[in-house]
Amino acid sequence: MTTDQRPSTRTHYRFVTLALITILLALSSGDRATLSIAGPNMTKALGITPVELGWMFSAFAWAYVLAHLPAGWIADRLGAKQTILGGLILWSLVTFLMSCVGWASYPFLVMLILRFMLGIFESPVGPAAGRIIAAWFPSAERGIAGAIFNSAQYVSLVIFTPLMGFLDHRFGWEHIFGVMGVLGFLLAALWAIAYYPPSLHPKMNAAELDHLREGGALVDLGGASPAAVAEQGPRWSDLGELFKSRMLVGIFLAQYGISSITWFFVSWFPTYLVKARGLSVLDASLIATIPAICGFIGGVATGFFTDWLFKRTGSLGIARKTPITIGLVMTVLIIGCNYTDSTILITVLMSAAFFGKGFGSLGWTVVADTAPKEVIGLTGGVFNAIGNTAGIVTPVAIGYILSATGSFNGALLYVGLHGLLAVLCYWVIVGPIERLVIREGGGLIRAAPQAAE
């Protein structure tokens, strides 16, 4: 078969795989948000205080961050299919058990433990998905794949939030956890049947496999024998090697800056609209959806833009850093809200900032581009763990700023400057974006830059 014939005859199972991991991330995002929707009626029914509810929220974040390194190692050792299947079954069981906390003698303690376990069992999603994107997509399509995958967090808001609200209103808060748990079990069955590594897929034809391999996809990830994985797979000593790479350290630090913006929107933004701008809770909840929609649009658009740019230039550095820079510079617009009292203008500025955050969020794509093939899961685990420490730091930092100043002005400045921090990391620290090779001569060696197809 000639190269010219392949585009019209090859299969497209990589997009089926992309749909699977996007649904997976959307469900995991929905499961971690169950407490946000069930919280008001659950706390009233069980006598849980606001302070206790805050601890229940934070229990997930602490576990999620701490579990990422072992989760990444497990993903590299067992492969993406088994790691995600085990995590999905376990976190769905935990979610389902949350529907039963009303029967417990100490519901707060039980819920605290279950939320901590949820954070542990959801942690493999990011590292394993990073391996899947690297294995299933050539460099020229990896931007779109990473952007669509990352957009699942916004899709989750649109799909699962109304569903959970309906369940709470119609049947009671317990049914939120029960239904979401059952959906997880159904997805686990679909995952077990439908997901394969590229080299082992029973229906994908040779033309698609050749297309992936020739474009730089790591098609043999997940297809090695257990003996080969034990010999060539992840070692804990590799963790130190990752931090010897200036490029990876810059990528990790940039993700912290990007995640700080995310955590402002998912924690303090509605409170800002109510407390600082005098809106009602209902109006604030409606306005808060507008930036989320803009973030989704930006997140999808950047995938097409970065892959178009890569095909035009043949440079991963230009293709990835350009949209990251454009998007994250836009996030600084959030500071402009300090200089206006117009609700319409504030909504426009916040929406533009969140669009920019989505447009600049190519972190998972960059991890798939650069991580050493032996430890893509471990690299993704470090990346996501460092990024999500913003979920611990940012809400607390903003709380202290508000306590000290009595105003959100300093908080918005704090958030906006994190976008510039991420841009500086990519241009000052990261350097060329290339695949790293480990274990040759005992250290890290830069591979040749990936070229366009």
Side-chain angles (χ1 to χ4, degrees):
M1 181 179 294
T2 66
T3 302
D4 290 337
Q5 291 175 314
R6 286 175 185 163
S8 61
T9 59
R10 62 178 177 240
T11 53
H12 296 87
Y13 283 100
R14 61 195 183 280
F15 298 114
V16 175
T17 300
L18 178 59
L20 281 173
I21 62 173
T22 302
I23 294 170
L24 179 77
L25 180 58
L27 181 69
S28 69
S29 299
D31 280 342
R32 73 188 65 168
T34 49
L35 185 60
S36 299
I37 306 301
N41 286 330
M42 184 187 74
T43 53
K44 185 186 301 182
L46 303 181
I48 293 173
T49 69
V51 172
E52 289 173 334
L53 181 61
W55 277 105
M56 287 155 55
F57 279 124
S58 67
F60 174 89
W62 280 101
Y64 192 65
V65 168
L66 293 173
H68 259 86
L69 295 188
W73 187 88
I74 291 170
D76 287 323
R77 176 66 63 168
L78 299 183
K81 180 166 186 172
Q82 296 303 322
T83 303
I84 286 180
L85 181 62
L88 179 52
I89 291 172
L90 290 171
W91 97 57
S92 298
L93 176 61
V94 167
T95 301
F96 186 84
L97 289 175
M98 289 179 186
S99 66
C100 305
V101 295
W103 302 344
S105 299
Y106 302 98
F108 163 66
L109 180 60
V110 173
M111 196 68 179
L112 193 70
I113 294 171
L114 290 175
R115 285 285 296 181
F116 192 87
M117 293 172 65
L118 182 69
I120 292 174
F121 296 139
E122 282 199 7
S123 63
V125 173
R131 282 177 57 93
I132 291 170
I133 292 171
W136 270 97
F137 286 89
S139 298
E141 297 177 1
R142 206 170 281 151
I144 293 174
I148 291 176
F149 168 73
N150 194 56
S151 72
Q153 59 187 303
Y154 309 112
V155 173
S156 178
L157 292 173
V158 175
I159 296 176
F160 291 114
T161 300
L163 171 63
M164 291 187 290
F166 169 76
L167 291 171
D168 180 74
H169 176 74
R170 181 67 177 83
F171 301 105
W173 62 267
E174 302 96 331
H175 290 81
I176 294 176
F177 301 111
V179 170
M180 293 298 288
V182 170
L183 289 177
F185 292 134
L186 294 175
L187 181 57
L190 176 63
W191 179 266
I193 295 170
Y195 179 76
Y196 294 89
S199 60
L200 299 180
H201 200 287
K203 296 183 179 180
M204 182 173 66
N205 63 17
E208 185 176 9
L209 188 62
D210 289 345
H211 171 70
L212 302 184
R213 183 178 283 114
E214 291 166 5
L218 306 179
V219 296
D220 296 318
L221 279 181
S225 66
V229 171
E231 175 65 24
Q232 302 173 8
R235 305 170 189 168
W236 282 114
S237 59
D238 296 331
L239 181 61
E241 296 294 329
L242 297 181
F243 285 96
K244 293 179 183 179
S245 166
R246 175 175 169 172
M247 177 185 69
L248 288 181
V249 169
I251 292 168
F252 298 156
L253 292 175
Q255 186 62 15
Y256 173 84
I258 296 170
S259 296
S260 294
I261 301 167
T262 301
W263 279 100
F264 167 75
F265 276 96
V266 301
S267 59
W268 281 103
F269 181 47
T271 302
Y272 163 76
L273 294 175
V274 174
K275 300 282 188 180
R277 297 303 173 181
L279 300 180
S280 68
V281 173
L282 177 60
D283 288 342
S285 63
L286 293 174
I287 289 176
T289 62
I290 299 174
I293 294 171
C294 291
F296 169 78
I297 295 171
V300 174
T302 193
F304 290 94
F305 180 70
T306 186
D307 285 347
W308 171 83
L309 202 55
F310 180 63
K311 291 174 183 177
R312 287 290 301 269
T313 66
S315 168
L316 278 178
I318 294 174
R320 305 307 188 224
K321 290 183 182 182
T322 300
I324 287 171
T325 302
I326 294 171
L328 296 182
V329 168
M330 288 183 66
T331 64
V332 181
L333 291 171
I334 196 173
I335 300 173
C337 296
N338 289 337
Y339 303 100
T340 180
D341 292 323
S342 168
T343 300
I344 294 176
L345 184 55
I346 288 170
T347 304
V348 170
L349 290 171
M350 287 290 185
S351 298
F354 212 40
F355 173 90
K357 185 266 172 185
F359 199 77
S361 296
L362 283 171
W364 280 113
T365 300
V366 175
V367 168
D369 288 330
T370 59
K373 65 179 182 179
E374 298 90 346
V375 287
I376 292 178
L378 185 61
T379 306
V382 175
F383 167 83
N384 218 20
I386 293 176
N388 276 285
T389 56
I392 299 170
V393 175
T394 298
V396 175
I398 292 176
Y400 276 108
I401 292 171
L402 294 177
S403 177
T405 67
S407 169
F408 269 92
N409 289 0
L412 296 187
L413 179 64
Y414 174 88
V415 173
L417 291 178
H418 274 77
L420 293 183
L421 170 66
V423 172
L424 288 174
C425 285
Y426 269 100
W427 287 103
V428 176
I429 302 176
V430 172
I433 294 179
E434 306 163 347
R435 174 81 60 198
L436 290 179
V437 179
I438 62 174
R439 301 182 194 162
E440 293 184 12
L444 285 170
I445 301 175
R446 287 193 183 276
Q450 300 176 58
E453 291 183 272

